[in-house]
């Protein structure tokens, strides 16, 4: 007896053992109870009991330990492990586990991993953690609730060859409509966006240069995403707080400061004039106590250097208050504790500016910029606008708060493109070095066909949406020039095998032939061709036709039979193919699916379908 | 008790169950025995025994069922499964198996497979049978003997990404030496070889036409393999049975038949003249009773249609006797029961022929040809030559039996090439249709750059080995012509992107750009360039240089980042890449490794190394 108890205690020592072998312990306990009874009752009866006990235990343990090898489905044992409280209390299938043995698996005679072997059906089981790394496939455990009255969770393993997403076009591509599936893009949220410039209203990139720079491709994507969101999202909620006419707020006006609503003859509307004493305590202000509607827009003219717009925002979660200062200074972003400074540029002095700010983005980017270690993440829903105030001397009008202001962002970017195009080349130059592995470094000043194409897509939409503002059209047409100039001469044009013309996302030497950037450059041409008056459309049309011809001839160069390459550097440099990660592969598929709506060539549809299949583990046949 | 016995009988019904649950059955039997004793002995003692039995059983079954979860390596239980006689009686690792549960695995949301899950380390195990099919990887169970005094077998699973073999070159490629690694080729053994023609001494293919045809590429490979074997194998054992001079046999000469050794003034040697009555019983014969040395060669001149050489061969395993008849008839191969007829052609009448026959091949091919269902496989070691006989009227000399006769085969093929070249085009035409999926069918008469290259490799070696037989050189030089003529004009020349010249294994329209055939076509050019006198070498040199240039520019087109494509039909036809199966991929690697010994361009070496890596699961990086 003591021996048995010891064994039992030993089992009880480790809770994990107990969890795992709960049923067995129960069996042992049942035996112990039986034995106590035996001491008191007739021996013969006990004997019978004992025999029954032996049988019960034997059959019980036997049943627990094995699955009957009667073939799949014929007899399946299930047990609920309610009595063994594992961390996620899943209902488990009865294990055929005891057939399984550990077996070493030699991988290509290079290294070993631990596998399991089922001797009965001679199957070897390979751990997924190895497969994930070896084949670059994905998988995740998930649980589903099943059953009616007694709901139980069933674990399942989801093998997903690729995690990337396909976006099926909703119809024929409309050059005035949504740009691809860019309504899903949130450019300003990206880590590689430092902040939105208050001087320009466009994102500042830190991807390739930490100090920050304007990256035309990113600015155009910012514009296209907001243009697309404007078409797909519900109309925003807009609160006009103060327009000096119909909507007026009760402003707090400290002593020695003043404000007045005056007639602006040029605008033919009332505006507010203010003049305050020095120091934040002298600012005039309102307390909108607004949440969620964090898009602030205001028409603003500041007269002196020390004038500013200030917005106080509360993080209701952390109770921290942030002061967002918008100043007429040549400053991008500066942070001092909870004081955040965005510069609108000295040139904004004594000029009316329409300022559109996403206060959530402005706070979040400042926190990231100011943080020494891992910055906290601020949820949009946690923010509350405590006050909006003006300091110094100036004018303002039309203060609104809204859930979004997509078109304002779009036009900010379109304006940036109009004002920052190189008048000589028609290009938007990238002011940073760019290194592509194996290629000579691109020196600051390079032009990207993707940037040009994206910009043209923006400008074509701005021309159309604005009802024909010629400035946008002129910029878009001028942007075609680099398409006709070889990379070595400052353009974006390359040639494959001296035969097919290609527009280079990166104008490397030798050419790199990046696929996705090329297709974006084509979409720009398509957009312009289908938006511009015919007198200027023909140039875009010619370049588009030339590019589509190259695409069809060269598309299969990117097909590896189980995925795609990102570019053709292997052909240019004689190195290993630069395989596209699933994200980029999905972009290739999405682009082809979109092109298929405007070009009926079955090559495009068929290739898109095959490439889609690769994301689900399909492969081209071998001979 | 009856219940228990029933359970036991039920278990005994199925032998597989009994094999698997042997130990458990033993436990049940032990219990039964115990019970019988109980009937006769003191109950108290019995009770004690029973308690012990319960404990033993419980602990025993428990130990069998679990591994203690003390973390890996800390406590590992091993048991020998000597008591459970599984088919391969392996020593197994104690299982951590009972942690494992069955879990459904959803593959790309398309279908489900059964996996195992280890809750403790949250690992999911995937069955290899699925991986084999999904990823086209290979694996096999193997056992290794370990331990010193008590040797035990340990099971291991060998994951081999590819089963194909790499042949590392032994040194710089020698155009007069071994051709690649063709010493490993056994062309005549292949299923797609119907037999070796007795008229020509070269293989007859049935790959693309069941009636059989001469396939120049195969004939050249036959030659190159024997040429290479001649250089790599030990010298053969040769028995000169009869040369009418130093070696003479005692011939059995039936009544009304006769033979005599006579002087042949032209050959300046004795030969044997024979004349027999009609019917096989009249044939003159010897009984060499030879095994293993199954290469028969003889100089032979038959005067009448009904004359023949006959060899009787015994299969010592099946006791079947085969009569191999070699006749001066226009017949390839005919089989009637155990009589096998090979025709030497009517043109062989009244001409001296040097006949070289592999009797094992001749028997085996006849069995395959004559078999209605699955033919039996004859082992070389099972055959014994019972008799060699001559019938009719004729002459013979130099009967030898040897283990091999590689050079005779080589020269038979070289002669075939000399006599079967199209004098107009210099090509060896393929007399069959050839369909490549997606391309227009090649009509009979097409020429293959691979065939041309292989043939040139044969002829260059024949020219060199024969000490300068000009016939071989002339044929080789003439064979260059199709390299300069476009496929559509009957040649093998194609151009990639109007830029790079390519020699086509299959002169399809549009071009197919088969890689391995192209490299073989280059090796022919290299061989000729390095063998021919300079006056004729320059042409081959020019074509070789042109081809190597194309190869270097186009090589990476075949690189998928995890393997290679067999051709470039995806570019020509706009379809899925035709991936090279591992065999062909290994050929690509072997060819590059060989080219690297004659061309120092690092592109070749680096690509070969990377492609070799693909066979071990290495992949190019993604971006």
């Amino acid at each position: 007896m003591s021996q048995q108890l010891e064994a039992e205690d030993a089992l009880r020592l480790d809770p994990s053992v107990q969890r795992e072998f709960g049923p067995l312990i129960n069996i042992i306990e049942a035996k112990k109870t039986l034995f106590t009874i035996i001491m008191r009752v007739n021996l013969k009866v006990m004997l019978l009991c004992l025999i029954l006990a032996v049988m019960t235990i034997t059959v019980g343990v036997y049943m627990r330990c094995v699955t009957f090898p009667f073939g799949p489905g014929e007899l399946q044992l299930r047990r609920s492990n309610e009595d063994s409280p594992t961390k996620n209390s899943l209902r488990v299938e009865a294990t055929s586990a005891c057939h399984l043995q550990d077996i070493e698996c030699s991988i290509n005679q290079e290294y070993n991993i631990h596998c399991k072997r089922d001797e009965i059906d001679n199957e070897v089981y390979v751990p997924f953690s190895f497969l994930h790394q070896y084949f670059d496939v994905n998988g995740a455990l998930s649980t589903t609730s099943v059953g009616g009255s007694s709901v139980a969770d069933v674990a399942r393993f989801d093998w997903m060859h690729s995690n990337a997403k396909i976006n099926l076009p909703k119809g024929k591509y409309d050059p005035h409509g949504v740009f691809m599936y860019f309504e899903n893009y949130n450019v300003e949220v990206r880590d590689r966006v430092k902040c939105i410039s208050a001087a320009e209203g466009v994102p500042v990139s830190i991807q390739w240069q930490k100090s920050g720079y304007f990256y035309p491709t990113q600015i155009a994507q910012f514009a296209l995403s907001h243009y697309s969101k404007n078409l797909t999202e519900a109309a925003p909620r807009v609160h006009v707080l103060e327009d000096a006419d119909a909507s007026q707020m009760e402003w707090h006006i400290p002593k020695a400061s003043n404000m007045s609503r005056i007639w602006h003859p040029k605008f033919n509307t009332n505006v507010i004039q203010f003049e305050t004493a020095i120091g934040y305590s002298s600012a005039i202000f309102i307390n909108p106590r607004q949440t969620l509607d964090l898009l602030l827009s205001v028409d603003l003219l500041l007269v002196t250097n020390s004038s500013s717009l200030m917005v106080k925002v509360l993080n209701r979660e952390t109770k921290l208050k942030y002061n967002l200062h918008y100043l007429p200074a040549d400053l991008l972003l500066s942070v001092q504790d909870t004081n955040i400074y965005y510069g609108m540029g000295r040139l904004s002095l004594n000029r009316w500016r329409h300022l559109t700010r996403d206060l959530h983005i402005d706070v979040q980017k400042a926190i990231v910029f100011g943080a020494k270690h891992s910055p906290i993440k601020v949820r949009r829903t946690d923010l509350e606008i405590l006050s909006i105030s003006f300091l110094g001397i100036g004018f303002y009008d039309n203060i609104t708060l809204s859930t979004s202001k997509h078109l304002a962002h779009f036009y900010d970017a379109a304006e940036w493109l109009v004002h920052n195009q190189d008048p000589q080349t028609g290009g938007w130059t990238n002011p940073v070095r760019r290194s592509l592995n194996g290629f000579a470094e691109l020196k600051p000043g390079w032009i990207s066909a993707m940037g040009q194409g994206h910009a043209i897509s923006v400008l074509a939409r701005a021309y159309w949406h604005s009802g024909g503002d010629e400035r946008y059209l002129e910029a878009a047409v001028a942007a075609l020039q680099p398409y006709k100039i070889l990379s070595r001469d400052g353009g974006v044009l390359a040639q494959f095998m001296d035969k097919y013309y290609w527009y280079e996302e990166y104008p490397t030497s030798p050419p790199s032939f990046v696929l996705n950037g090329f297709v974006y450059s084509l979409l720009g041409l398509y957009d312009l061709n289908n938006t511009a008056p015919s007198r200027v459309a023909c140039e875009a049309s010619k370049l588009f036709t030339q590019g589509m011809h190259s695409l069809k001839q060269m598309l299969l160069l990117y097909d590896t039979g189980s995925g795609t390459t990102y570019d053709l550097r292997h052909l240019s440099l004689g190195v290993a193919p630069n395989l596209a990660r699933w994200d980029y592969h999905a972009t290739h598929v999405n682009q082809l699916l979109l092109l298929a709506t405007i070009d009926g060539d079955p090559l495009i549809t068929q290739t898109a379908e095959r490439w889609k299949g690769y994301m689900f583990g399909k492969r081209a046949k071998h001979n």
Side-chain angles (χ1 to χ4, degrees), chain A:
Chain A
M1 193 66 197
S2 68
Q3 211 180 339
Q4 192 180 17
L5 278 172
E6 263 171 45
E8 191 192 325
D9 286 340
L11 282 171
R12 286 218 166 128
L13 282 175
D14 187 340
S16 75
V17 174
Q18 198 176 359
R19 199 161 56 231
E20 192 60 24
F21 304 111
L24 203 72
I25 293 165
N26 291 345
I27 290 162
I28 294 166
E29 279 184 330
K31 264 180 358 195
K32 203 174 68 176
T33 315
L34 253 174
F35 192 77
T36 319
I37 297 165
I38 282 167
M39 292 292 107
R40 302 192 196 114
V41 194
N42 176 296
L43 277 176
K44 281 194 184 176
V45 175
M46 274 194 299
L47 207 58
L48 205 68
C49 291
L50 251 174
I51 290 158
L52 284 171
V54 168
M55 277 170 57
T56 312
I57 291 162
T58 309
V59 173
V61 176
Y62 175 74
M63 294 291 278
R64 180 176 186 272
C65 195
V66 304
T67 296
F68 293 98
F70 293 131
E74 213 166 317
L75 178 61
Q76 274 235 320
L77 299 177
R78 286 182 178 230
R79 73 176 178 85
S80 165
N81 66 345
E82 282 156 25
D83 49 352
S84 71
T86 53
K87 17 182 195 317
N88 38 12
S89 76
L90 305 166
R91 203 181 68 175
V92 295
E93 308 279 320
T95 58
S96 58
C98 286
H99 304 312
L100 295 182
Q101 301 151 1
D102 289 335
I103 186 169
E104 284 298 285
C105 177
S106 156
I107 303 297
N108 300 314
Q109 302 190 308
E110 287 175 341
Y111 56 96
N112 284 3
I113 61 166
H114 300 295
C115 293
K116 306 288 176 189
R117 181 190 178 196
D118 187 338
E119 269 203 344
I120 288 183
D121 57 5
N122 223 10
E123 181 69 89
V124 170
Y125 288 86
V126 183
F128 184 79
S129 57
F130 160 75
L131 300 170
H132 168 66
Q133 167 261 320
Y134 188 93
F135 287 116
D136 194 24
V137 290
N138 301 287
L141 278 166
S142 68
T143 51
T144 332
S145 290
V146 293
S149 54
S150 59
V151 176
D153 286 340
V154 168
R156 198 181 63 170
F157 187 68
D158 288 299
W159 168 296
M160 295 302 294
H161 199 83
S162 144
N163 282 336
K165 280 232 173 78
I166 295 292
N167 291 279
L168 294 175
K170 290 172 193 77
K172 190 184 169 185
Y173 173 64
D174 173 8
H176 308 145
V178 168
F179 186 81
M180 290 197 67
Y181 44 91
F182 274 33
E183 72 272 21
N184 304 324
Y185 275 29
N186 287 305
V187 174
E188 49 270 58
V189 170
R190 294 175 185 165
D191 286 343
R192 54 184 186 270
V193 170
K194 181 175 179 177
C195 64
I196 303 300
S197 155
E200 307 282 353
V202 298
V204 173
S205 178
I206 44 173
Q207 187 170 8
W208 299 316
Q209 191 180 286
K210 288 298 152 212
S211 60
Y213 60 97
F214 290 112
Y215 179 31
T217 301
Q218 188 175 71
I219 291 167
Q221 291 198 342
F222 172 77
L224 291 168
S225 76
H226 282 293
Y227 185 88
S228 302
K229 282 176 197 289
N230 181 58
L231 292 171
T232 53
E233 287 182 4
R237 191 167 51 228
V238 182
H239 298 273
V240 181
L241 301 184
E242 170 72 58
D243 63 3
D245 287 308
S247 303
Q248 298 197 353
M249 292 279 285
E250 196 68 42
W251 289 82
H252 299 265
I253 305 167
K255 229 183 284 178
S257 296
N258 63 67
M259 65 156 282
S260 54
R261 295 182 176 87
I262 60 163
W263 181 254
H264 194 291
K266 195 176 161 196
F267 297 161
N268 203 24
T269 176
N270 279 328
V271 300
I272 293 171
Q273 180 176 27
F274 67 92
E275 185 165 0
T276 74
I278 295 169
Y280 287 120
S281 56
S282 308
I284 60 166
F285 66 97
I286 48 175
N287 298 110
R289 308 294 294 192
Q290 193 69 45
T291 57
L292 292 175
D293 302 343
L294 298 174
L295 261 290
L296 169 70
S297 75
V298 55
D299 292 311
L300 184 63
L301 184 151
L302 298 177
V303 174
T304 58
N305 273 338
S306 56
S307 307
S308 67
L309 157 65
M310 190 180 85
V311 184
K312 193 185 284 288
V313 175
L314 166 72
N315 183 341
R316 292 180 294 173
E317 182 73 19
T318 62
K319 307 297 174 202
L320 279 172
K321 289 173 187 167
Y322 299 98
N323 299 313
L324 286 159
H325 306 270
Y326 300 94
L327 317 167
D330 285 340
L331 160 80
L332 180 59
L333 170 61
S334 174
V335 180
Q336 285 169 345
D337 300 325
T338 54
N339 283 301
I340 299 163
Y341 303 91
Y342 281 96
M344 298 185 291
R346 271 195 216 164
L347 292 177
S348 69
L349 266 182
N350 285 303
R351 284 190 194 181
W352 279 100
R353 269 287 315 274
H354 183 76
L355 191 71
T356 309
R357 304 304 298 177
D358 185 327
L359 301 176
H360 174 238
I361 294 292
D362 281 354
V363 168
Q364 181 66 66
K365 294 294 179 185
I367 290 172
V368 171
F369 177 69
K372 285 190 184 67
H373 306 295
S374 51
I376 60 158
K377 197 153 180 96
V378 177
R379 279 178 302 182
R380 197 170 191 87
T381 48
D382 285 342
L383 291 184
E384 181 179 350
I385 302 169
L386 298 180
S387 70
I388 298 172
S389 47
F390 294 91
L391 192 73
I393 304 168
F395 303 83
Y396 61 85
D397 194 7
N398 300 324
I399 302 177
T400 66
L401 286 174
S402 55
T403 40
S404 67
K405 207 79 186 179
H406 297 309
L407 282 176
H409 293 315
F410 169 73
Y411 277 110
D412 275 352
E415 287 300 316
W416 187 91
L417 292 170
V418 167
H419 294 114
N420 289 275
Q421 188 175 29
D422 182 334
Q424 236 75 51
T425 64
W428 288 274
T429 54
N430 292 278
V432 290
R433 298 172 191 287
R434 176 78 173 104
S435 245
L436 267 80
N437 196 10
F439 292 97
E441 188 184 64
L442 296 174
K443 299 279 173 252
W446 56 277
I447 298 173
S448 163
M450 177 165 167
Q452 297 298 110
H454 268 353
I456 294 172
S457 291
V458 172
L459 293 166
R461 280 171 174 76
Y463 172 70
W464 180 81
H465 187 270
S466 67
D469 188 329
E470 290 286 332
R471 296 178 310 129
Y472 299 133
L473 182 64
E474 280 161 22
V477 171
L480 299 176
Q481 292 174 67
Y483 281 81
K484 295 174 282 180
I485 294 164
L486 289 171
S487 296
R488 62 162 177 266
D489 300 325
V492 298
L493 186 63
Q495 219 178 345
F496 183 71
M497 300 242 169
D498 299 333
K499 202 169 162 70
Y500 300 114
Y501 288 103
W502 192 266
Y503 314 127
E504 290 268 270
E505 176 173 350
Y506 302 109
T508 53
S509 180
S512 39
F513 302 107
V514 173
L515 179 56
N516 79 89
F518 176 67
V519 176
Y520 284 131
S521 82
L522 292 182
L523 287 181
L525 297 172
Y526 181 83
D527 290 345
L528 185 56
N529 181 34
N530 286 276
T531 307
S534 54
R535 69 187 150 82
V536 287
C538 62
E539 177 94 66
S541 167
K542 224 180 80 189
L543 290 168
F544 177 73
T545 305
Q546 172 181 272
M548 284 300 288
H549 179 66
S550 298
L551 182 71
K552 290 175 192 178
Q553 297 303 316
M554 294 173 61
L555 188 58
L556 274 294
L557 289 167
Y558 297 83
D559 194 326
T560 71
S562 60
T564 47
T565 62
Y566 175 78
D567 52 30
L568 299 182
R569 73 178 60 182
H570 55 302
L571 302 178
S572 295
L573 301 174
V575 297
N578 183 24
L579 300 178
R581 63 170 191 257
W582 287 123
D583 277 0
Y584 276 112
H585 179 75
T587 299
H588 294 161
V589 175
N590 289 326
Q591 289 183 328
L592 290 189
L593 289 172
L594 185 123
L595 287 178
T597 70
I598 57 174
D599 187 314
D601 193 326
L603 174 79
I604 296 176
T605 327
Q606 286 164 10
T607 306
E609 283 307 311
R610 189 171 62 255
W611 288 8
K612 199 161 74 175
Y614 295 161
M615 299 174 68
F616 300 91
K618 309 269 183 304
R619 275 174 304 140
K621 284 191 191 124
H622 62 66
N623 64 346

